[in-house]
Amino acid sequence: MKSNDFMQLFGTGQPVKTPIGDCHFIKIKEYVDFSSDLQLMADSKDKIAESMRQVLKDKLDAQDIEEMVNGRNLFQLILMHPLYLEAYQSILIKVFNDEGIMSKISDENFIELRSLVLKMHLINEDKKSPNSEIDELNQISKELKSSDDGADLSDMISAVVAMTGIDYSTINEWSLYQLYLTYHRIQKKVNHDASVIFATVSSEVKIDRWDDHIDLYAEEKHHLSHKDSESIKKLLG
């Protein structure tokens, strides 16, 4: 089954079958414990390489550091960096429910498995532009989007509860993907109902479809910030 086929079934919350075992979603109630490690998984090869340079700068000379870092792929850099290795181990052991999962991961399957885990948890890789000015603009854009007045995760959870009657204990067992999908579907249904009403008084009003495809990957940031984690912890108990 292709990755796009997998993604069509993400809304069910069922684990995804892979050659090395079933890959499970982290539940809303568990995000408090795993959000920091998930965010580290989004870091790019360049960012990890730079972090390696900082870790080693007081231990090795610059030439030795570059020889150690240059030419390494993402998987090799992660194995060399204690912080990232610990984060990947934490997440992969959790989602595969397998203490020995790292022995099953190699250069050949790492990129595909990493991509799957990130997609399952609505995380886009933090890609650095080779153009420093563009990269700076992208960073400013992310900061503006993350500081807007839009709904945070606790707002979404309470909205789903209010609109569906589903209780908090049930949402505790959902994945982040299911929460976002349900929240945005509710938004589309509300917009549809409003457009139907307005269409009765004006022929110019276009009735919005409530069952349109929802692209949850269009947003730059869905994963939990520290603030989101704390607010959900208080909300769900």
Side-chain angles (χ1 to χ4, degrees), residues 1-10 16 112 116:
M1 186 180 290
K2 297 180 180 179
S3 61
N4 286 342
D5 296 326
F6 284 140
M7 291 164 60
Q8 290 181 25
L9 300 177
F10 281 179
V16 176
E112 185 175 356
L116 173 63

Side-chain angles (χ1 to χ4, degrees), residues 15-237:
V16 176
K17 293 187 179 300
T18 78
I20 64 170
D22 289 353
C23 187
H24 298 259
F25 288 89
I26 294 174
K27 298 177 180 178
I28 292 291
K29 66 181 182 182
E30 300 167 327
Y31 260 89
V32 176
D33 298 322
F34 292 98
S35 61
S36 295
D37 289 337
L38 280 169
Q39 291 178 52
L40 285 174
M41 282 190 73
D43 286 350
S44 65
K45 172 186 169 183
D46 288 343
K47 187 169 184 178
I48 298 174
E50 182 56 33
S51 179
M52 277 291 297
R53 294 184 180 96
Q54 294 302 313
V55 169
L56 296 172
K57 68 179 182 180
D58 295 327
K59 301 175 183 178
L60 300 172
D61 61 43
Q63 183 176 346
D64 289 339
I65 292 173
E66 290 309 310
E67 289 178 357
M68 180 176 292
V69 173
N70 286 343
R72 305 280 183 177
N73 61 33
L74 178 60
F75 182 56
Q76 292 167 340
L77 286 173
I78 288 164
L79 293 178
M80 293 168 57
H81 198 306
L83 175 65
Y84 285 93
L85 178 58
E86 183 178 351
Y88 271 82
Q89 286 176 326
S90 169
I91 297 301
L92 293 173
I93 288 172
K94 172 62 182 174
V95 298
F96 283 99
N97 192 27
D98 182 355
E99 292 289 336
I101 193 63
M102 294 303 293
S103 65
K104 302 175 183 178
I105 297 175
S106 64
D107 280 330
E108 287 71 33
N109 63 16
F110 171 74
I111 294 298
E112 185 175 356
L113 292 170
R114 173 178 179 264
S115 177
L116 173 63
V117 173
L118 292 180
K119 282 184 168 63
M120 288 174 69
H121 298 92
L122 292 173
I123 298 175
N124 292 328
E125 181 180 356
D126 182 17
K127 295 180 179 179
K128 186 178 180 63
S129 170
N131 185 311
S132 61
E133 292 183 357
I134 292 177
D135 192 57
E136 184 177 354
L137 289 173
N138 287 339
Q139 185 60 36
I140 293 172
S141 172
K142 288 182 181 180
E143 290 173 358
L144 288 173
K145 289 182 179 180
S146 64
S147 64
D148 64 18
D149 295 326
D152 63 17
L153 269 294
S154 61
D155 293 328
M156 292 185 183
I157 291 171
S158 61
V160 171
V161 169
M163 295 297 291
T164 66
I166 297 171
D167 60 37
Y168 287 104
S169 61
T170 298
I171 295 178
N172 248 330
E173 303 298 323
W174 285 11
S175 68
L176 189 64
Y177 189 98
Q178 289 174 309
L179 174 63
Y180 265 88
L181 190 63
T182 304
Y183 175 78
H184 287 291
R185 183 62 65 198
I186 289 171
Q187 278 191 323
K188 283 187 173 291
K189 184 63 168 66
V190 169
N191 291 340
H192 166 80
D193 291 347
S195 66
V196 168
I197 293 172
F198 286 120
T200 63
V201 296
S202 174
S203 59
E204 295 181 0
V205 173
K206 177 184 177 183
I207 297 179
D208 297 328
R209 289 179 60 96
W210 66 271
D211 57 350
D212 274 343
H213 173 66
I214 297 172
D215 183 5
L216 294 180
Y217 300 96
E219 297 293 330
E220 289 183 356
K221 176 177 175 286
H222 285 302
H223 57 274
L224 295 181
S225 65
H226 177 71
K227 177 184 175 183
D228 287 328
S229 298
E230 290 302 313
S231 64
I232 287 180
K233 185 175 181 181
K234 292 177 183 177
L235 185 65
L236 298 179

